[in-house]
Amino acid sequence: MTEQVRSRERVASHGEVFTSEREVNAMLDLVKQETERVDSRFLEPACGDGNFLAEILRRKLEAAKKRATPPRRKKPLPLEFERQSVIAVTSVYGIEILYDNVLACRERLYNIWNEEYEKICKKEVSDECRDAVRFILSRNIVCGDALHFNTVDENGSPKKEPIVFSEWTMISGTKMQRKDYSFEKLYNGEYEPTAEIQKKSKQPANDEQQLSLFGAEDDAPADEGTLTYSYITDYRRVQYDGK
Ligand SMILES: C[S@@+](CC[C@H](N)C(=O)[O-])C[C@H]1O[C@@H](n2cnc3c(N)ncnc32)[C@H](O)[C@@H]1O
């Protein structure tokens, strides 16, 4: 979006002042390498309509194109781009208290993804994959109060349900795993930071290793009880096979 303030009321009630594109890019350049990894996870706890997340997704989709392009080929392989671009979508997370911003953010991210998807996959696009991406975004961009860890309804009233994030991991081929965790527990640091795990295993992060809000894949959470839900399915079917 271009305007930084929508109304005085929204500034007063929710501190809604959007960041300009120039500032977004300058800030993201401070962590440029991470923004250009398809699978590094980003969470924006006051994401508005997605100024930061949109730019992060654009950068990740560029990285997805590179990863889907074999040596000595100029163009990405459509199905591999589809897979990589879905990984990119799974790795952006946001919390926003105002419902209209949540809807705008999800739509904006979907459109950025879909535009590249159509450009690269052309006739090979599938509505099933589009639905999967919409479903992932509906889970990753949460209408909630980041300060109190609870979801809120369309009118901004607190709901009883806590904020829960899904950890999506492409296991192999087209198989994807979803594991749900309570945001409050994640925030309170119940998982070992990824950097510590890498130090221990002496393995540098590589492109196939998803950096995590959640801890490394083979690292058992400190409190198993925080894992609330889990399933594995084809990435194009995440919307059918889970709740
Ligand atoms: C300063 S704006 C920043 C928006 C966006 N990150 C950007 O830079 O353009 C802060 C945003 O946080 C939202 N917000 C305010 N309190 C919040 C809370 N407790 N939990 C989640 N979002 C909140 C506001 O509605 C607003 O969209």
Side-chain angles (χ1 to χ4, degrees):
M1 70 163 292
T2 45
E3 84 263 33
Q4 287 188 262
V5 169
R6 282 199 194 127
S7 73
R8 288 170 69 163
E9 291 71 37
R10 288 173 72 111
V11 176
S13 61
H14 292 96
E16 188 194 61
V17 178
F18 294 104
T19 309
S20 72
E21 200 179 321
R22 199 180 56 146
E23 285 166 329
V24 166
N25 275 304
M27 287 169 77
L28 291 180
D29 283 346
L30 297 173
V31 286
K32 196 165 185 294
Q33 257 193 318
E34 289 307 314
T35 63
E36 291 170 353
R37 283 170 54 97
V38 175
D39 47 10
S40 56
R41 294 186 173 99
F42 281 80
L43 165 63
E44 236 265 67
C47 69
D49 66 357
N51 285 332
F52 281 91
L53 297 181
E55 181 54 29
I56 290 167
L57 183 59
R58 275 193 205 99
R59 293 180 184 204
K60 282 168 166 281
L61 290 173
E62 284 307 309
K65 281 185 213 168
K66 288 192 191 136
R67 273 173 81 167
T69 308
R72 293 186 289 283
R73 292 252 325 226
K74 286 198 179 122
K75 289 185 183 166
L77 301 174
L79 282 180
E80 185 54 18
F81 176 76
E82 179 185 276
R83 184 175 167 276
Q84 295 292 338
S85 71
V86 170
I87 297 175
V89 171
T90 63
S91 71
V92 291
Y93 296 85
I95 305 171
E96 167 59 45
I97 207 162
L98 295 174
Y99 188 62
D100 59 349
N101 280 343
V102 172
L103 295 185
C105 181
R106 287 177 186 156
E107 196 58 23
R108 185 175 177 184
L109 297 178
Y110 175 79
N111 287 334
I112 289 169
W113 171 81
N114 192 41
E115 199 176 303
E116 291 299 331
Y117 183 48
E118 289 183 352
K119 243 192 256 169
I120 288 170
C121 296
K122 299 192 170 79
K123 285 184 191 150
E124 290 177 69
V125 294
S126 86
D127 283 339
E128 211 175 32
C129 186
R130 287 190 172 115
D131 289 347
V133 165
R134 282 206 181 275
F135 177 73
I136 292 162
L137 288 172
S138 75
R139 294 210 47 81
N140 280 21
I141 309 301
V142 175
C143 192
D145 180 342
L147 295 177
H148 297 99
F149 305 106
N150 59 276
T151 53
V152 300
D153 69 15
E154 299 175 16
N155 305 312
S157 305
K159 295 209 281 189
K160 289 220 172 79
E161 292 111 68
I163 295 174
V164 168
F165 281 122
S166 295
E167 176 188 37
W168 312 91
T169 310
M170 202 66 89
I171 295 175
S172 64
T174 61
K175 286 271 171 286
M176 180 177 270
Q177 179 171 48
R178 170 181 151 198
K179 287 184 184 172
D180 290 0
Y181 295 97
S182 126
F183 171 53
E184 184 169 9
K185 301 250 176 163
L186 291 170
Y187 180 84
N188 287 329
E190 299 206 357
Y191 305 115
E192 202 174 13
T194 307
E196 283 306 308
I197 291 156
Q198 281 161 8
K199 231 190 286 168
K200 268 190 208 163
S201 64
K202 296 200 170 68
Q203 281 172 359
N206 63 47
D207 277 358
E208 285 299 328
Q209 214 182 337
Q210 267 177 276
L211 284 181
S212 189
L213 293 169
F214 307 91
E217 269 317 287
D218 54 357
D219 188 50
D223 175 357
E224 293 287 351
T226 59
L227 171 63
T228 56
Y229 183 65
S230 170
Y231 63 92
I232 296 174
T233 186
D234 187 288
Y235 70 80
R236 299 182 201 91
R237 294 192 54 83
V238 285
Q239 69 280 28
Y240 305 129
D241 295 343
K243 60 184 179 185

